[in-house]
Amino acid sequence: LAQQRLLIKGGKVVNDDCSVVADVYVEDGVVRQVGPNLNPEPRTGLIVLDATNKLVIPGGIDTHTHMQFPFMGSRSKDDFYTGTKAAIAGGTTMIIDFAIPQKGCSLTEAFDTWKSWADPKVCCDYALHVAVTWWSSKVKEEMKSLVQNKGVNSFKMFMAYKDLYMVNDEELYAAFSCCKELGAVAQVHAENGELIAQGAKKMLAMGITGPEGHELCRPEEVEAEATQRAITIANAVNCPLFVVHVMSKSAARVISNARREGKVVYGEPIAASLGTDGTNYWNKDWAHAAAYVMGPPLRPDPSTPGFLMNLLANDDLSVTGTDNCTFDICQKALGKDDFTKIPNGVNGVEDRMSVIWEKGVYSGKMDENRFVAVTSTNAAKIFNLYPKKGRIAVDSDADIVIWDPKATRTISAKTHHQANNFNIFEGMVCHGVPVVTVSRGKVVYEGGAFNVTAGEGKYVSRPPFPPYVYERVKQREQV
């Protein structure tokens, strides 16, 4: 690719720790200069972007996506092409997806499979978390090999989806211990899978088959209990823990309390839990209600999104992802007569940045610096991508978004770039819009038009022992 030379003029450069009015000069995909009145030579071939009265922020990092994921008898609609293309339209320049092996199957093969799907299609950079869905000495060896040879530094364990992906406490203990040895971040999907299985049987026996049954059989204490259990087990082996998709007040409180007790744990609310709620499961239109089905479910308490946003603003919760896993209305209809068969998943990769700006910054709960921290910088620090990603500074990757805080847009399935025919944020007016997205130093999206081809993104290796996470862990070992 012919590298573009870019000069972003007159904007306010916003990092997680400070904001400063400055120009940004980019060459060979990397930030070369940040400062006032830059005048790089030669002028020929230089693309100048005017960012006056706008913010210049690090590209978003979505810590949680499932592109073209084979799940629950279907495959998610957004593949690595449409998904990452939608991401850059929304100001996200990197996603971290999940390679998920079936029980008894090889982790390495799952990693290779997902990478083979992604490499020819991605429009922005990406990395892969790998799921541990069973335990054996072979799994332990593969984890070691993935960390040392494939640039993986995070592994996710499911405490739900009984008989499919769920692992028990003994397996959790073993997996956490292995993560700790390898310098990886342990992730959990925290829900009590046994209680969900029993609850689902009970609902169906009572004749509750609609989408509301999905929430009723996995109430928030089921999420809170598993969150507490995961934190307890991780703490027992001194392993850092990352709780994915925090969906409820009670689970968020558990994480908040653990952090106050000094435990090394991070919570990830998602665009869906920050931007909408579970009252939709009771909508009279079945297709509407089913579109919101995801695990863990959205909560019917309408004050939940605001509560989670407050915790995100004050660092009780740390980062934001989306759990983007889109199924269209026809796919959701697999569960027309049985809510347990509705494929779990919602959209978010394109709308996350705007939803968080609207509900967080525009509402006055957080400032622009905290916005950058929770959409980009903290993720880069936790997963050892910083300061190449998550910061605008000399030698950082030129993943940059020009953000217009004054502009508005209305979210709609009619205008979004995702491959889905439904949007859970339909009709939401968002203040704060990405007007230009730069990926690896190239303008890939500007004024509603794309300039990107499939496969332009790169797989990013992540070294083990991210200092942001492991400095405390190592020190505690020694003490």
Side-chain angles (χ1 to χ4, degrees), residues 406-442:
K406 298 281 190 290
T408 60
R409 71 184 185 95
T410 303
I411 298 176
S412 174
K414 294 183 184 68
T415 51
H416 71 195
H417 300 92
Q418 302 205 232
N420 209 19
N421 57 5
F422 192 94
N423 191 309
I424 60 167
F425 307 111
E426 186 71 38
M428 185 192 290
V429 176
C430 289
H431 298 78
V433 176
V435 285
V436 180
T437 305
V438 176
S439 171
R440 290 193 164 259
K442 179 187 164 182

Side-chain angles (χ1 to χ4, degrees), residues 11 21 32 60 76 85 101 153 167 258 284 289 293 339 426 463 474:
V21 175
R32 297 292 183 201
S76 60
K85 198 172 165 187
N153 71 4
V167 291
K284 292 282 184 278
V293 168
F339 65 82
E426 186 71 38
K474 286 179 181 168

Side-chain angles (χ1 to χ4, degrees), residues 6 19 21 47 50 67 117 122 166 197 205 217 228 241 261 281 292 330 338 390 399 423 463:
L6 301 179
S19 304
V21 175
I47 297 169
D50 181 12
M67 303 303 177
W117 290 342
V122 283
M166 185 172 127
C217 80
Q228 181 65 57
L241 185 69
E261 289 161 8
Y281 297 133
Y292 288 80
C330 289
D338 176 352
D399 291 348
N423 191 309

